Amino acid sequence: SPGPLHSPDVADRAFNVYDRQGNPDVLAPVDCRAPVMLNITITWEHVVRLFRPGDPAAAILTAMQAVLCDPLCKTAEFTDLDVDDPGGPWAPVDAALCSSGDTGHGNPLPRFKGVAVTKVLHRKRPALVPIRDRCLQSEPIRYAVTQRAAPKCSSYIGSH
């Protein structure tokens, strides 16, 4: 049985706090910290490094911001995507996931991996970037990956 912090009621309330979006096309420090409400450790040091010019971690922020700036990503829905299309709307998301170092290229920001990237990007592009997280996935939360998207997301993010 899930503990009190993992109950659907608590998770639902946490998501409502997380989902205060602000400008949908710009990542702000609060957007990078908000996923803490979804059971992930993102420290103030992570956020400072993401926004510090010249810091290697800023490459992750640049890659995530590229998703928000891409016109194809504004209206794309994950369930309709070909994740292998190098010119499609998933390509910038893939680049953001890779920038976190989850693909073995070195992590410029330790303990900030693909799950963190999906939680940050989901806040701004919920139809495009599903959250793939074992805690959210195991709960009947309407904001987690839909049943239709789950197999595609599992096979893709599971390979990264």
Side-chain angles (χ1 to χ4, degrees), residues 99-111:
S99 75
S100 72
D102 267 1
T103 58
H105 298 292
N107 187 329
L109 189 57
R111 296 181 309 280

Side-chain angles (χ1 to χ4, degrees), residues 23-84:
N23 185 335
D25 297 326
V26 177
L27 283 173
V30 70
D31 299 313
C32 295
R33 187 79 164 120
V36 167
M37 299 303 296
L38 300 181
N39 195 33
I40 190 168
T41 301
I42 298 175
T43 68
W44 65 268
E45 291 103 340
H46 286 125
V47 176
V48 167
R49 290 197 54 208
L50 286 168
F51 284 86
R52 182 184 297 141
D55 191 306
I60 300 171
L61 180 68
T62 299
M64 291 190 297
Q65 184 61 54
V67 173
L68 304 184
C69 292
D70 188 306
L72 292 175
C73 293
K74 289 184 188 276
T75 58
E77 295 196 19
F78 182 80
T79 54
D80 299 328
L81 294 179
D82 174 0
V83 296
D84 297 317

Side-chain angles (χ1 to χ4, degrees), residues 1-16 38 135-136 138-143:
S1 134
L5 292 178
H6 295 289
S7 73
D9 184 49
V10 170
D12 189 41
R13 287 193 315 256
F15 195 92
N16 288 334
L38 300 181
C135 293
L136 292 178
S138 65
E139 302 294 344
I141 301 172
R142 68 183 182 274
Y143 305 104

